[in-house]
Amino acid sequence: MHVISIDDDFAAWRAAALDAIARRLAPESIDWRTAQAEPGLFNESAAPQKVDQTPQIRVSRELATLLKDAAHFRDSRRWSFLYRVLWRWAQGERAVASAADEDGARLSKMAKAVRRAQHDMIAYVRFRQRDAALGAPEYVAWHEPDHDVLAWGAEHFAARMGKSTWLIATPDGAAMFDGEHLQIERRRALASEHDVDTPDAAEALWMTYYRSIFNPARLNEAALEQHMPVRFWKGLPEGALIPQLVSDARGGARRVAQAQRVGALGGKAVQVEAHDAQPERDAPTSLDTCRRCDLWRNATQAVHGAGSADARIMLLGEQPGDQEDLKGEPFVGPAGQLLDEAMQRAGVPREQVYLTNAVKHFKWEPRGKRRLHKTPAQQEVEACSYWLERELHEVGARVIVTLGATALAALFGRRATLSAHVGRVVPYRDKLVVATYHPSYALRQNDEAARERTVAAIVAALDQARELSAR
Ligand code: URA
């Protein structure tokens, strides 16, 4: 039996696994151990032995993503399982990457569970503001992820919280950001050092607000628990309110006050079926009933992304326009027509891309009889990032083309400027982003030559995306 001791992370496993395959070590002949799980046991070091040639195995992009995601699955046997998958692939068994294969199915299930935990982390981490003068991070949060997604989630927040200092503590360790550097500490008890339980003023505001938006008439307890799992409630300030609000709702209390408040609101009435009810903003049951921000009030409907989950290119716009809002489909108005023309010039058929928007409801202001597009606020972009995240996970696109500044900011935060990114290829997680102008920008230009230059830049970006996605 070969003992292979590694750090408990994907990079360490990958290096050791490639080495073991080069040494033709069959899966059943290896005892995978992690240094973290049993510290001090492996000083004799079973670290990968050097081989003459750097071992290389070409795996499909899909399998690489599955392996990477499944590596976060909390199970001490995962490294040996992943090795078995890789070994079988290296032996030419391509079926191992398919859900029809027993190992393939298990791998997909693990990856899916991890992605769910990643979503949960983004949706349910609530930072509490602290007194930074005491040397503590300005924001702290407690979260109990189902899988080992702390480092992944920490990168997500690091990209979005600017220079703020923060800490996310979990039962197994913590992520800390000092405004510049991210550090992952795999040790317990950090939460107690930073007092994640002290409520702050912002939290009191949020609680009052949450109470006021909680609509007992639309309560669907099963949906509430499914989408905001009970185990996360204790990390959420509003979690403490839920049992009482649910019990009040059962008793019919507050219904009158709620009806008055709802009655006083402007905007058009949108029918929400009881089974679709989503009393809270952070656990929407579907995009159609999303209330994470207020844009739904004046929109006809939410506009879903369109295209196949297998598309290799995702085009990310800003928000639906007037015609998209009426039709319920992205890019069907004038900007869509210009985009179609650019796609045709670049040899990128619409059927082969996935089209979506950073914000899914139309934001507008009245101008006479017309509904004039209004740029969404960053807060609205952030509220809608829940849906974009889901698309990024569900659509296997290798390349994302961001159209305009809002789409770019949806991925990289509002500090990312279009002028610094246009024409550049920037890595984003396991994808590549090509930034370009929004087609509406071309439509707004009166000067024919300037308009053609903008369209040419969009065509060039699409062309580049086509090339990158074919690699
Ligand atoms: N502009 C966008 O950004 N998206 C659309 O769907 C339509 C116009």
Side-chain angles (χ1 to χ4, degrees):
M1 185 62 81
H2 301 270
V3 172
I4 297 186
S5 165
I6 55 169
D7 283 343
D8 200 11
D9 68 44
F10 182 73
W13 170 81
R14 183 177 173 279
L18 289 173
D19 180 71
I21 285 177
R23 291 159 61 200
R24 305 201 175 286
L25 303 183
E28 52 287 359
S29 73
I30 303 177
D31 180 5
W32 289 90
R33 298 187 193 172
T34 55
Q36 201 193 357
E38 297 179 52
L41 266 185
F42 308 115
N43 291 342
E44 69 280 17
S45 180
Q49 291 169 10
K50 287 262 175 285
V51 286
D52 292 337
Q53 280 186 318
T54 311
Q56 289 285 349
I57 298 175
R58 286 190 80 82
V59 300
S60 66
R61 191 168 287 138
E62 288 73 20
L63 179 60
T65 304
L66 284 171
L67 289 169
K68 238 189 213 164
D69 287 345
H72 299 287
F73 193 87
R74 236 195 263 285
D75 179 346
S76 56
R77 293 156 306 170
R78 69 190 184 283
W79 302 124
S80 92
F81 171 69
L82 296 189
Y83 183 70
R84 186 165 78 225
V85 170
L86 191 63
W87 170 266
R88 287 185 54 200
W89 176 276
Q91 306 307 307
E93 288 187 53
R94 296 299 183 252
V96 74
S98 133
D101 180 275
E102 201 177 320
D103 284 341
R106 181 172 160 199
L107 184 69
S108 294
K109 249 190 176 157
M110 287 164 70
K112 199 166 166 199
V114 167
R115 283 183 215 127
R116 176 84 219 177
Q118 290 172 333
H119 279 133
D120 287 345
M121 181 149 186
I122 292 169
Y124 302 123
V125 162
R126 288 285 186 291
F127 286 98
R128 295 169 196 258
Q129 197 165 13
R130 305 294 327 279
D131 186 351
L134 299 176
E138 293 163 82
Y139 298 94
V140 292
W142 172 254
H143 186 64
E144 295 181 23
D146 283 344
H147 296 288
D148 185 12
V149 296
L150 174 64
W152 180 92
E155 278 180 22
H156 170 91
F157 290 108
R160 285 165 176 76
M161 290 182 61
K163 294 262 176 221
S164 307
T165 58
W166 51 261
L167 167 124
I168 301 173
T170 74
D172 309 310
M176 280 167 284
F177 189 68
D178 65 4
E180 297 207 345
H181 305 106
L182 182 60
Q183 197 186 337
I184 308 293
E185 285 266 345
R186 293 189 179 271
R187 76 187 154 103
R188 290 161 190 251
L190 274 162
S192 59
E193 285 170 29
H194 287 288
D195 186 12
V196 292
D197 285 329
T198 306
D200 60 10
E203 186 172 314
L205 259 177
W206 162 241
M207 305 269 264
T208 308
Y209 178 67
Y210 185 81
R211 249 191 226 104
S212 79
I213 58 165
F214 188 91
N215 183 345
R218 290 177 175 174
L219 176 64
N220 176 338
E221 284 177 53
L224 173 64
E225 289 184 14
Q226 184 188 347
H227 294 280
M228 191 191 270
V230 175
R231 67 184 182 283
F232 294 130
W233 290 9
K234 71 169 168 265
L236 305 176
E238 68 272 32
L241 297 175
I242 296 173
Q244 187 59 47
L245 291 172
V246 168
S247 119
D248 286 354
R250 282 200 199 116
R254 297 181 64 248
R255 202 156 288 185
V256 176
Q258 181 77 30
Q260 281 167 351
R261 192 162 39 242
V262 171
L265 294 172
K268 116 187 144 40
V270 173
Q271 207 62 39
V272 177
E273 297 300 328
H275 65 269
D276 273 345
Q278 51 177 76
E280 73 304 313
R281 294 186 172 213
D282 278 319
T285 53
S286 84
L287 176 56
D288 297 322
T289 55
C290 182
R291 305 293 182 259
R292 295 173 69 85
C293 75
D294 282 334
L295 293 185
W296 64 276
R297 292 185 186 285
N298 295 315
T300 309
Q301 58 194 312
V303 176
H304 293 244
S308 155
D310 296 330
R312 299 188 67 80
I313 302 176
M314 176 185 278
L315 301 190
L316 181 60
E318 181 191 78
Q319 61 165 343
D322 183 75
Q323 297 196 31
E324 288 79 13
D325 169 77
L326 296 172
K327 227 173 156 194
E329 287 172 40
F331 288 104
V332 290
Q337 281 165 20
L338 193 142
L339 185 61
D340 277 338
E341 187 192 311
M343 284 198 282
Q344 209 171 13
R345 280 170 60 179
V348 178
R350 192 184 251 252
E351 314 74 69
Q352 285 179 20
V353 302
Y354 183 88
L355 277 164
T356 193
N357 286 299
V359 171
K360 315 293 191 214
H361 282 110
F362 178 35
K363 182 174 183 180
W364 57 276
E365 58 189 354
R367 190 65 60 83
K369 286 191 176 169
R370 292 175 56 214
R371 301 191 299 172
L372 222 62
H373 160 277
K374 217 174 160 200
T375 304
Q378 185 65 16
Q379 247 178 331
E380 287 149 354
V381 174
E382 276 161 23
C384 219
S385 68
Y386 177 88
W387 300 109
L388 182 58
E389 278 297 333
R390 284 172 68 143
E391 289 173 301
L392 290 173
H393 276 83
E394 283 158 16
V395 179
R398 167 83 177 128
V399 185
I400 306 171
V401 180
T402 55
L403 303 167
T406 303
L408 186 68
L411 298 181
F412 295 108
R414 65 178 169 210
R415 275 170 224 253
T417 60
L418 194 53
S419 55
H421 283 79
V422 163
R424 280 179 50 205
V425 179
V426 188
Y428 182 78
R429 301 182 193 163
D430 61 336
K431 305 180 190 303
L432 296 171
V433 171
V434 182
T436 191
Y437 302 106
H438 194 284
S440 311
Y441 175 60
L443 291 176
R444 285 198 301 274
Q445 284 169 323
N446 295 324
D447 175 347
E448 193 53 45
R451 176 193 286 217
E452 176 46 33
R453 274 198 301 279
T454 307
V455 176
I458 298 174
V459 172
L462 292 167
D463 193 42
Q464 192 167 24
R466 181 177 50 71
E467 254 186 42
L468 290 169
S469 71
R471 281 186 196 163

